[in-house]
Each structure stands twice: as C-alpha cells, then as structure tokens.
Amino acid sequence: MSVSASDFRIPVGEGTVGAAFARPDNPTATVVVAHGAGAGMDHPFMHGFTGGLNSLGIATLRFNFPYREAGRKFPDRPPAAIAAWRAAMAAAAERAAEYGDTGPLWAAGKSFGGRMASMAVAEGMEAAGLVFLGYPLHAPGKPDKLRDEHLYGITAPMLFLQGSRDTFATPELLEDVVGRIGPSAVLQWVDGGDHSFAVAGLKRSAAEVGASLAEPVARFIRSSG
C-alpha cells in the first residue's frame, strides 16, 4: 500500500509544535495520535502504532505537546495540552479536506496524550471517537485518586486498550469506570501487558509493540461506523 508522509509545524499559542501526517491511498478514517508524558511523537512506539494504522488503510497525524517541543520534562497543564489537541485536530481536518477524504476523524493517545484528548472532547472538541492506549486512571499506588470525572459526559465511542499489569489502572477500578460510562465505551485487555504494553518473556521492540495495537484499534473504528 502506498503511503505519503510529510512533516510540518502546527501553530499552538505563541509558538508551534512538530507534527507528522501520513496518508495511505483512499483512507477510511484519520486518527490523530498524541504521545505519553515521557516520550515525544518520534518514539518508536508512536512510529509503530501509526505505521500499523497506515498499513490498514487509516491516515494518521502525530504531534508533540508544547512542553516536549521546548525540551521540558514536566507535562503541560491541561489548558495548554487541550489547546495543542484542538490545533492538531484542526490541522488533521484541513489535510483530510485537501485530499477530499470524508472518513471520520478520531483522537487517540498514549497515557497522558489520551487523557488530554478526552478532556478536550469533554470541553467540546469534536471527534468521532476516542482511543486510549493505556489510560492513566490513577497514579501507581494511588487508586484513591481517580482521573475519571470528565469521562462520564462523553457520548462518543471510546476504546480503552489496557495492559492487564498496568500499574496506572487497577483492573477492577477501570472495569467499573468503563461500565459506568455505558455502552459507548469498550475495554479490551492486553494480557500481561504493562503500561508500555510490554509483556514479560515476549521480546519485542517498542515499534513492534505499537504496531500490534493497530489492528484492534482499526477494528473498533470500523465497527463504530
């Protein structure tokens, strides 16, 4: 499958952030993907995941949050991260329109990136659906402080892909949250996976791990119409 790719800059606030757009011929959807707190858009996991989606006929746009662009380690506060999300979604919509693509526009993110996407949608950002690659429901060892309040007002389809050994989400707590959201939310476990979806005893590169998540995500997008 032929895939065209381009790097560009997205204006966010008073600056810009890096972004990469990749489009196979006649994509069925476009997915904007945000990185986690500890790695930027060029991490092998991000390359593997978006490349996997491209091979399945889905266009992708990955981008950096401002803090990562500036070389800072501490993630942006929600207002800045949400502004970046809005700008990235607008950029993806513009590129889809340029090509005449009419498929749905989804928002996806690894950990922090997915949580910020959901907060943006809760505040009115339009997205056909949300994909969480390891939702950080709580900090490790702190299950009493859940990050879930904003999720219950979201009506768009949501896929929670979660490692069964992920210390950022106690299984029983995440199952309860997804159940309370309702039928629009689906939880799919990656057996043995940690927060990075690495499985003990299974030797895979970060790119291979990211690519392995593309099929369930593409399947969910197709099933959501």
Side-chain angles (χ1 to χ4, degrees):
M1 179 180 293
S2 173
V3 177
S4 59
S6 60
D7 296 337
F8 64 104
R9 309 288 299 179
I10 298 176
V12 179
E14 298 180 355
T16 63
V17 297
F21 180 69
R23 178 186 179 275
D25 295 332
N26 303 311
T28 57
T30 299
V31 179
V32 180
V33 189
H35 59 80
M41 72 174 197
D42 286 324
H43 189 276
F45 177 94
M46 295 285 287
H47 276 282
F49 178 64
T50 54
L53 289 179
N54 298 154
S55 69
L56 295 170
I58 295 175
T60 58
L61 186 152
R62 49 191 168 81
F63 68 97
N64 273 335
F65 286 111
Y67 80 93
R68 188 71 187 183
E69 197 71 29
R72 299 191 301 269
K73 292 184 177 181
F74 195 77
D76 296 313
R77 300 295 296 171
I82 289 172
W85 253 114
R86 289 183 177 276
M89 290 291 278
E94 289 176 4
R95 273 154 183 75
E98 289 173 2
Y99 285 101
D101 298 334
T102 58
L105 179 60
W106 282 64
K110 177 72 182 76
S111 191
F112 169 81
R115 179 181 169 228
M116 291 300 106
S118 64
M119 293 182 72
V121 169
E123 292 189 9
M125 184 182 81
E126 293 187 6
L130 287 159
V131 173
F132 304 111
L133 306 175
Y135 187 80
L137 183 60
H138 56 75
K142 297 181 179 180
D144 55 319
K145 297 181 180 180
L146 300 184
R147 303 157 174 160
D148 64 331
E149 290 185 0
H150 66 285
L151 295 172
Y152 303 110
I154 299 174
T155 58
M158 287 180 271
L159 173 63
F160 291 77
L161 270 180
Q162 203 84 17
S164 62
R165 296 189 301 111
D166 190 341
T167 57
F168 284 78
T170 303
E172 295 79 6
L173 292 177
L174 184 57
E175 288 172 353
D176 179 66
V177 167
V178 173
R180 283 191 285 152
I181 292 172
S184 62
V186 172
L187 172 58
Q188 183 171 337
W189 293 106
V190 175
D191 189 37
D194 62 13
H195 193 55
S196 297
F197 295 95
V199 177
L202 185 59
K203 293 185 178 181
R204 296 184 298 175
S205 67
E208 290 173 326
V209 172
S212 72
L213 304 178
E215 174 54 39
V217 170
R219 190 186 319 119
F220 186 76
I221 290 174
R222 288 194 295 265
S223 69
S224 298

